[in-house]
Amino acid sequence: DVVLAAVQRNGTVLSNVSESLRADKEVVLAAVQNYGYALDYASPALQNDKEVALAAVRQNGNVLKYASEELKNVKEVVLAAVQQDGYALDYASYALQNDKEVVLAAVQRDGRALQWASWQLQNDREILSWARLSRPQCLWRKYRELWRVKRICEFWEQQTMKATFDANGNATMQGRGAKRAREEFESDFS
C-alpha cells in the first residue's frame, strides 16, 4: 500500500522497488499512468501486457520503445502512442510504419514523423499534405516567412537614402543611390 501510494505520486519510484513489485500489475499500472517511462522498469512480462503498455503510451507516446516487440506490432497500442506523440512511429514495427491509418495519425500530430513512415507512404499525397499542415511545420514555415520579410526590410533599410537640409532648405542626399536620386529630384523640380 505504501509503494502503491508512492508510485501514484511519482512513477519514478518504480526504479527503486524490488523485482516482485515490478512484476505487480497494480503497482506498475499506477506508475506508468503517472510517469510513462516507468514502463522501462517493469518486469518483461508486464512490458508485454497490453493494458500496461496502453496506459504508458497514453501518458507518453515515446515509451513505446520500452514495450515488447510483440506490442510494437499491435495497432491499438501503436495508434495510441502516435496520437500522443507522432515521433513514436520510430518505435513501431515496420508493418505498422507501412499502415496508412497509423502513419496519418502520426503526421497529423507531428509532420516530422514522416521520416519514419515506409517509402511507399512517404510519397502518399494525403499523408504528405497532412505532414505539411501539422503544427510544428506551420510554425517553422511562419518563422521562415517572417525571417525572409525581416531580411527584405533590412535590405531596403540599407538601400534608403538620408536627406539633410541646410539653412537655405537645400537637400543633400546621402546613402546608396544618392547620386541618381539627387539627379531625379533636381530634374523634377528644375
Side-chain angles (χ1 to χ4, degrees):
D1 289 334
V2 173
V3 173
L4 186 59
V7 295
Q8 284 173 337
R9 270 194 265 130
N10 184 354
T12 60
V13 170
L14 191 63
S15 65
N16 299 318
V17 299
S18 68
E19 289 298 319
S20 62
L21 288 171
R22 291 180 189 196
D24 185 321
K25 186 173 181 175
E26 184 182 10
V27 171
V28 172
L29 202 51
V32 298
Q33 286 171 342
N34 175 271
Y35 179 68
Y37 281 99
L39 185 63
D40 186 30
Y41 308 119
S43 68
L46 289 177
Q47 287 178 341
N48 195 32
D49 185 278
K50 186 177 174 183
E51 183 183 357
V52 172
L54 271 171
V57 298
R58 285 183 180 137
Q59 201 281 327
N60 186 328
N62 276 320
V63 301
L64 183 62
K65 69 180 166 183
Y66 299 118
S68 68
E69 292 303 314
E70 182 183 319
L71 289 176
K72 290 177 184 178
N73 201 29
V74 173
K75 188 172 183 175
E76 182 183 359
V77 174
V78 173
L79 202 51
V82 298
Q83 286 171 341
Q84 200 283 326
D85 186 341
Y87 267 43
L89 186 61
D90 184 24
Y91 307 111
S93 68
Y94 181 75
L96 290 176
Q97 288 176 340
N98 196 29
D99 184 286
K100 187 170 182 174
E101 183 184 358
V102 172
V103 172
L104 193 56
V107 297
Q108 284 175 341
R109 184 73 177 144
D110 190 333
R112 296 171 296 179
L114 185 63
Q115 64 188 313
W116 292 295
S118 68
W119 285 105
Q120 296 89 349
L121 292 179
Q122 285 183 4
N123 296 315
D124 183 273
R125 284 183 180 264
E126 183 182 8
I127 290 173
L128 281 172
S129 68
W130 273 105
R132 288 187 193 108
L133 293 174
S134 72
R135 187 165 184 252
Q137 294 292 330
C138 288
L139 290 175
W140 176 246
R141 239 181 262 123
K142 287 289 183 198
Y143 171 76
R144 283 191 323 206
E145 183 181 326
L146 288 172
W147 182 81
R148 239 183 261 131
V149 168
K150 182 181 176 193
R151 297 293 298 154
I152 290 168
C153 289
E154 287 172 356
F155 171 79
W156 282 110
E157 228 175 38
Q158 292 171 358
Q159 301 304 315
T160 59
M161 293 153 292
K162 295 178 176 62
T164 56
F165 295 92
D166 62 13
N168 297 330
N170 297 324
T172 306
M173 303 284 197
Q174 299 170 350
R176 290 183 140 173
K179 183 178 179 183
R180 190 181 66 185
R182 189 177 314 110
E183 290 168 357
E184 288 175 14
F185 179 79
E186 289 171 354
S187 69
D188 289 344
F189 293 100
S190 49

